[in-house]
Amino acid sequence: MDAYFPSTYEDSRARFLQSLSLIQQKWHSTQLETYPLKNFHGLSIDWLWAHAPKKETLVILSSAEHGIEGYVGYALMKIFIEEFAPRLDPENTGFLLIHGLNPWGMKHHRKVNENSVDLNRNFVFDGNFDSAINPEFHLVEKLINPQRRIESFGLESIRYWVGVIRTLIKPGMAVSTRASLLGQHHTPNGFFYGGTSHQEGTAVAMELYRRALEEYQSVIQIDMHTGYGPRYQMSIIMSPLDPMTSEETSKKFNYPLVLKINAQEFYDISGDMAAYYYKLRNKNFSDRHLFACGFEFGTFGSSLPARIRSLRAMVFENQLHWHGTKNARIVDQVRKEFDEFYFPSETKWREKALADGRQAFEGILHAYQLI
Ligand SMILES: [Zn+2]
């Protein structure tokens, strides 16, 4: 398994860079490009362009939009490079692999970036980071953003559960899910903070996505994520802006679980990457074909208790970051739970993640007649 799942950001990046020579055997002009973060020496966003002479289709894979999720993201990229790229036609199919959209978060095992911004809430198309998008946020703020130091894991868990029960009674499940996960642009220390300007990683991705549509007739984009959904079943998450329904997509790709980013099937998100990409295509490249999706590898599970535990992992990690604790054991407990939520250690989980990724690549590339 270690062959697939890197142990550090540096390890992942080194492995990614090593794949250049393998890809160049078939895509001779493959280029490596790098964007070093302005304020963090040794951290960069790196990508490989494998261009086809006839620019018909481009496949884009990206990892670590949510930093810590980049470890599983790299594993999937490796599978694509080793098992699927060799089956593509280098004459008319190119690909763009983006490693570490949020390298700071990946290195420090955080989901957000160095400015506490969730990049998947930061792809605001019109540049209007509207602080009014999530008026219900304050209804859940006490639960998801406690303003205190963690004195004891047990005591804090009890307080969390009391908060959960209170929130489930009022404002209730639907409102609290929406208010927690939609994103917001006013509370930097509250999570799912979408920032007030485009972040470095977001700007890099936006520029690459524009170049992709300028150059290729058809673009298929897949962004790697972990955390949401059933424990042993990856979900393909697609934008509500795509005209296909999730049922149609599931059939087309011969893949069992496809969900749209909306309140009925997944949850609502404001400022997500896929929506940005469809808006860009619709506005400036209406003659191009685009399919943009995410692979979302579920970890704790999708039952109500599992979702409550998932939220607790996020709340405690954020609380620890902002308010700290005096007790080193609590740091370990909180960090371990957070790591398990986004990068599970269980071999069975990792094997199934790879198997699901293979199945989805096979289905998608086959559906577009690329393999
Ligand atoms: Zn994610």
Side-chain angles (χ1 to χ4, degrees), residues 65-67 69 111 118 120-121 223-228 267 295-296 342:
E65 184 190 24
H66 289 143
E69 301 172 25
K111 185 174 176 178
D118 185 312
N120 211 33
R121 306 293 183 280
D223 193 36
M224 303 300 168
H225 290 267
T226 56
Y228 181 89
Y267 49 77
F295 284 3
E296 178 83 42
Y342 289 112

Side-chain angles (χ1 to χ4, degrees), residues 225-284:
H225 290 267
T226 56
Y228 181 89
R231 179 163 174 85
Y232 297 105
Q233 180 60 60
M234 184 268 277
S235 319
I236 295 179
I237 308 295
M238 60 186 289
S239 174
L241 298 177
D242 193 283
M244 286 192 291
T245 66
S246 46
E247 290 82 10
E248 287 164 355
T249 310
S250 169
K251 231 180 178 173
K252 183 178 164 108
F253 296 159
N254 191 26
Y255 191 81
L257 186 56
V258 179
L259 303 171
K260 279 213 168 187
I261 301 176
N262 60 33
Q264 292 75 45
E265 298 183 17
F266 188 67
Y267 49 77
D268 276 322
I269 299 180
S270 175
D272 72 287
M273 179 194 279
Y276 172 86
Y277 213 175
Y278 280 97
K279 287 176 186 171
L280 179 68
R281 192 277 308 267
N282 295 348
K283 190 174 176 211
N284 296 331

Side-chain angles (χ1 to χ4, degrees), residues 25-276:
Q25 290 171 15
K26 224 173 145 181
W27 282 263
H28 306 298
S29 64
T30 304
Q31 294 157 4
L32 168 70
E33 295 177 7
T34 293
Y35 175 93
L37 287 195
K38 285 195 182 102
N39 299 322
F40 296 89
H41 181 72
L43 294 179
S44 59
I45 303 163
D46 303 278
W47 59 93
L48 294 169
W49 276 108
H51 276 302
K54 270 193 258 159
K55 292 185 172 166
E56 290 176 13
T57 303
L58 183 77
V59 179
I60 305 176
L61 302 189
S62 49
S63 74
E65 184 190 24
H66 289 143
I68 186 173
E69 301 172 25
Y71 294 94
V72 176
Y74 171 77
L76 273 294
M77 225 174 247
K78 178 177 164 69
I79 284 184
F80 178 86
I81 292 166
E82 292 179 355
E83 301 175 25
F84 291 91
R87 294 165 64 193
L88 300 173
D89 183 352
E91 272 306 299
N92 57 22
T93 307
F95 52 89
L96 166 63
L97 307 176
I98 310 171
H99 180 270
L101 272 175
N102 169 11
W104 183 92
M106 187 171 173
K107 180 175 173 69
H108 297 284
H109 286 225
R110 296 210 77 202
K111 185 174 176 178
V112 293
N113 78 349
E114 60 277 13
N115 301 319
S116 303
V117 173
D118 185 312
L119 294 190
N120 211 33
R121 306 293 183 280
N122 187 243
F123 280 81
V124 176
F125 186 72
D126 55 8
N128 174 22
F129 293 80
D130 186 356
S131 63
I133 58 163
N134 187 352
E136 294 156 333
F137 181 78
H138 70 279
L139 298 175
V140 292
E141 200 170 359
K142 255 190 162 164
L143 172 68
I144 67 173
N145 194 16
Q147 300 295 310
R148 57 177 177 263
R149 193 163 65 187
I150 304 179
E151 304 292 354
S152 128
F153 195 91
L155 182 66
E156 204 55 47
S157 288
I158 293 167
R159 293 177 85 164
Y160 171 76
W161 272 97
V162 170
V164 166
I165 291 161
R166 217 181 256 152
T167 309
L168 286 177
I169 295 167
K170 196 180 170 197
M173 186 74 177
V175 171
S176 42
T177 302
R178 185 168 62 232
S180 317
L181 304 178
L182 180 71
Q184 46 86 16
H185 297 291
H186 48 67
T187 306
N189 71 355
F191 55 74
F192 296 107
Y193 173 55
T196 54
S197 62
H198 288 134
Q199 301 295 297
E200 286 178 273
T202 310
V204 165
M206 284 175 171
E207 177 55 27
L208 291 174
Y209 295 169
R210 170 179 292 277
R211 271 166 71 185
L213 283 176
E214 273 167 4
E215 297 191 27
Y216 284 81
Q217 295 299 318
S218 171
V219 173
I220 295 157
Q221 190 250 340
I222 305 169
D223 193 36
M224 303 300 168
H225 290 267
T226 56
Y228 181 89
R231 179 163 174 85
Y232 297 105
Q233 180 60 60
M234 184 268 277
S235 319
I236 295 179
I237 308 295
M238 60 186 289
S239 174
L241 298 177
D242 193 283
M244 286 192 291
T245 66
S246 46
E247 290 82 10
E248 287 164 355
T249 310
S250 169
K251 231 180 178 173
K252 183 178 164 108
F253 296 159
N254 191 26
Y255 191 81
L257 186 56
V258 179
L259 303 171
K260 279 213 168 187
I261 301 176
N262 60 33
Q264 292 75 45
E265 298 183 17
F266 188 67
Y267 49 77
D268 276 322
I269 299 180
S270 175
D272 72 287
M273 179 194 279
Y276 172 86

